[in-house]
Amino acid sequence: MFRLAAVSLLLVAFTLAAADPPPQNPREKKVRDDKVKVEKDGFWIYNDLPKAMAEAKKEGKPLVVVLRCLPCEECVKLDDDLVDTDKSIRPLLEKFVRVRVVSTNGLDLSTFQYDTDQSFAVFFLNADGTVYGRFGTRSHRTNWVGDVSLEGLAEAMRGALDLHAAYPKNKEQLAGKRGPAPLYPSPEKFPALSKYKSEIDYKGNVVQSCIHCHQIGDAVRAEYRAKKEPLPEDVLFPYPHPKSQGLILDPKTRATVKEVTKGTAAEKAGFKAGDVIRSLGGQPLLSVADVQWVLHNTPAKGGNVAAEVVRGGKATTLTLALPDGWRQADDVSWRASSWGYRRMATGGMKLDAIDGDRPAGVPKTGMALRAAHVGEYGNHAAAKNAGFNKDDVIISFDGKTDLMRETDVFAHGLRTKKPGDKVAVTLVRGGKTMELTLPMQE
């Protein structure tokens, strides 16, 4: 009897175990739970742009499209405040057709052109695809403070509603908010992303089927590296932050100058704290992201960008003169794409500038970048395999001693070298100077 009971219990336990689904990957669960939550609430159209476009056309409303790659955590607070009915945002959102896009599979890249190193971006559109403006930026991998705010989002929505009310009389003025044709019409058309489908797979593994924002930028760079071509400056330094040109903007406004950095292009142009920038390059501005859009489409060789400014209630025009190589003032080391740059240009090393006293043997002036991390696996182990160690201090790269930031090393390596090239590196280790050779990679 005891044996029979034991066998019976084992059979029951086996049956129950077989009936239960296997434990779900936390990231997978997060994506599926998000879908259930948003669809149940019904305030947003979930991941269905054609439906949203049709509804906007029918109702005569503008669209607000939130691109939010899941399960990214970096922008979750702003997004939760937005989705969870913030009191200052909700009444404005109700005036739009609202759609959330949680992957870039099948995304129309001729319409949705944005900084792909972000995982949260907002577009304001007409139903015919005309772009009213963009929202969402950052200048740090995880910290959004100083770049975006809910107050700024509300201002951007008010501006979009004003542009929509004036449409189509202002259609010509808005033409510049759409850029030239992309390399490929949608992400999965890139050779580097060809394994993906045009839609994410909710019947299988959602996370693995999703094309994340940063993968688009990675695929663009792969096109040039595969052809052994240098990266163009607009690819290496995309969507330059206004602060790189001396413009510190108030994130709670559309584009109001909070501060101007001395000795920069912005100061030379005559910008002052308190200036309200109404348009840049002839385009109306809804946010800092719109300023970045104009900068992104300014040639790397520079040029003059007109700014319409309101100062003390009076309108004036300023000219932002950008010299040749102006993009390289920006910092790209915070970007997700910088991990790819490290593979290509530094063999997997993460380089930090030394603040304060320099170690023994390191010159008092000039280049001094410490290897804060040396990769150990795959292509990111190229520096390790070449003999580099953590805490090595690089004082010369390819004969250059004026590369003061990791970003400067990226720019030199990826603009002047091809995959397969070898670069001479001088470093200081334990007070002694050494010479090593670093390979450049795809």
Side-chain angles (χ1 to χ4, degrees), residues 178-218:
R178 183 186 286 260
L183 292 175
Y184 296 93
S186 59
E188 69 279 1
K189 301 297 184 182
F190 279 90
L193 299 174
S194 59
K195 71 177 183 179
Y196 293 95
K197 306 292 185 183
S198 60
E199 296 180 355
I200 54 177
D201 182 13
Y202 278 105
K203 294 181 179 179
N205 190 313
V206 177
V207 173
Q208 290 186 6
S209 71
C210 174
I211 302 175
H212 294 276
C213 296
H214 70 87
Q215 289 178 276
I216 302 172
D218 291 343

Side-chain angles (χ1 to χ4, degrees), residues 9-282:
L9 286 172
L10 285 171
L11 287 173
V12 170
F14 177 79
T15 302
L16 290 174
D20 289 337
Q24 202 171 61
N25 182 298
R27 301 177 72 204
E28 189 82 8
K29 184 176 186 302
K30 182 176 179 180
V31 176
R32 294 182 182 277
D33 287 351
D34 179 74
K35 183 176 187 292
V36 171
K37 175 185 174 183
V38 175
E39 289 184 336
K40 181 179 180 180
D41 181 70
F43 189 63
W44 292 81
I45 294 172
Y46 192 84
N47 221 37
D48 192 341
L49 271 169
K51 179 181 178 180
M53 289 285 192
E55 188 171 315
K57 185 176 182 180
K58 179 181 177 181
E59 297 185 12
K61 287 184 175 182
L63 290 105
V64 56
V65 182
V66 174
L67 300 172
R68 162 86 190 281
C69 282
L70 291 174
C72 176
E73 296 286 355
E74 294 171 2
C75 54
V76 67
K77 181 57 182 172
L78 179 66
D79 194 37
D80 284 347
D81 285 341
L82 169 64
V83 175
D84 292 343
T85 65
D86 178 87
K87 292 181 180 179
S88 64
I89 299 295
R90 178 87 179 206
L92 290 166
L93 285 174
E94 289 174 346
K95 298 179 181 181
F96 292 82
V97 172
R98 305 161 299 277
V99 58
R100 288 194 63 193
V101 176
V102 299
S103 79
T104 65
N105 303 59
L107 190 68
D108 176 9
L109 294 180
S110 65
T111 298
F112 295 96
Q113 299 178 5
Y114 64 105
D115 186 349
T116 58
D117 273 310
Q118 297 182 131
S119 50
F120 177 90
V122 181
F123 273 76
F124 305 102
L125 304 168
N126 186 277
D128 66 5
T130 298
V131 178
Y132 292 136
R134 297 161 172 82
F135 178 87
T137 188
R138 70 174 183 264
S139 52
H140 187 277
R141 191 175 66 84
T142 59
N143 186 6
W144 289 67
V145 176
D147 291 314
V148 296
S149 70
L150 287 175
E151 295 91 340
L153 176 59
E155 281 297 306
M157 285 195 284
R158 293 187 186 101
L161 289 168
D162 290 342
L163 292 174
H164 184 70
Y167 194 79
K169 292 182 180 179
N170 55 2
K171 188 172 184 177
E172 184 176 344
Q173 186 185 23
L174 297 170
K177 289 183 175 285
R178 183 186 286 260
L183 292 175
Y184 296 93
S186 59
E188 69 279 1
K189 301 297 184 182
F190 279 90
L193 299 174
S194 59
K195 71 177 183 179
Y196 293 95
K197 306 292 185 183
S198 60
E199 296 180 355
I200 54 177
D201 182 13
Y202 278 105
K203 294 181 179 179
N205 190 313
V206 177
V207 173
Q208 290 186 6
S209 71
C210 174
I211 302 175
H212 294 276
C213 296
H214 70 87
Q215 289 178 276
I216 302 172
D218 291 343
V220 171
R221 288 181 285 274
E223 289 281 299
Y224 292 96
R225 298 300 282 180
K227 297 175 183 176
K228 297 189 181 300
E229 295 178 1
L231 293 186
E233 284 195 32
D234 61 339
V235 173
L236 182 56
F237 293 92
Y239 296 87
H241 199 285
K243 72 179 182 181
S244 69
Q245 303 308 310
L247 276 177
I248 314 298
L249 301 178
D250 184 351
K252 295 182 179 181
T253 66
R254 298 181 198 176
T256 298
V257 180
K258 186 177 181 180
E259 184 182 344
V260 179
T261 307
K262 291 183 179 180
T264 61
E267 185 190 44
K268 294 174 183 177
F271 284 97
K272 297 183 182 299
D275 285 351
V276 179
I277 309 174
R278 292 300 187 195
S279 73
L280 190 66

Side-chain angles (χ1 to χ4, degrees), residues 329-351:
D330 203 10
D331 177 25
V332 298
S333 64
W334 67 267
R335 293 175 171 274
S337 55
S338 66
W339 290 103
Y341 296 160
R342 291 181 184 109
R343 181 194 74 245
M344 300 174 198
T346 69
M349 287 188 289
K350 183 181 184 300
L351 304 177

Side-chain angles (χ1 to χ4, degrees), residues 212-418:
H212 294 276
C213 296
H214 70 87
Q215 289 178 276
I216 302 172
D218 291 343
V220 171
R221 288 181 285 274
E223 289 281 299
Y224 292 96
R225 298 300 282 180
K227 297 175 183 176
K228 297 189 181 300
E229 295 178 1
L231 293 186
E233 284 195 32
D234 61 339
V235 173
L236 182 56
F237 293 92
Y239 296 87
H241 199 285
K243 72 179 182 181
S244 69
Q245 303 308 310
L247 276 177
I248 314 298
L249 301 178
D250 184 351
K252 295 182 179 181
T253 66
R254 298 181 198 176
T256 298
V257 180
K258 186 177 181 180
E259 184 182 344
V260 179
T261 307
K262 291 183 179 180
T264 61
E267 185 190 44
K268 294 174 183 177
F271 284 97
K272 297 183 182 299
D275 285 351
V276 179
I277 309 174
R278 292 300 187 195
S279 73
L280 190 66
Q283 298 179 35
L285 305 176
L286 300 185
S287 73
V288 177
D290 276 349
V291 177
Q292 284 181 282
W293 170 255
V294 175
L295 293 176
H296 179 69
N297 287 283
T298 300
K301 291 185 177 180
N304 294 329
V305 183
E308 294 182 8
V309 171
V310 175
R311 179 184 298 166
K314 296 182 179 180
T316 186
T317 300
L318 302 177
T319 300
L320 183 65
L322 299 175
D324 188 12
W326 65 273
R327 285 177 179 266
Q328 296 186 39
D330 203 10
D331 177 25
V332 298
S333 64
W334 67 267
R335 293 175 171 274
S337 55
S338 66
W339 290 103
Y341 296 160
R342 291 181 184 109
R343 181 194 74 245
M344 300 174 198
T346 69
M349 287 188 289
K350 183 181 184 300
L351 304 177
D352 289 347
I354 295 177
D355 295 324
D357 294 338
R358 298 186 174 197
V362 177
K364 299 301 181 183
T365 60
M367 182 178 183
L369 297 175
R370 176 183 282 116
H373 172 79
V374 178
E376 297 185 3
Y377 306 103
N379 290 336
H380 281 268
K384 177 186 175 183
N385 295 335
F388 290 85
N389 291 342
K390 185 177 182 295
D391 292 328
D392 284 347
V393 179
I394 295 175
I395 60 174
S396 173
F397 185 91
D398 195 35
K400 304 281 289 184
T401 60
D402 59 349
L403 307 178
M404 307 302 289
R405 307 173 298 165
E406 183 183 48
T407 288
D408 300 330
V409 176
F410 293 157
H412 179 76
L414 299 176
R415 293 286 297 141
T416 68
K417 301 298 175 184
K418 299 180 293 185

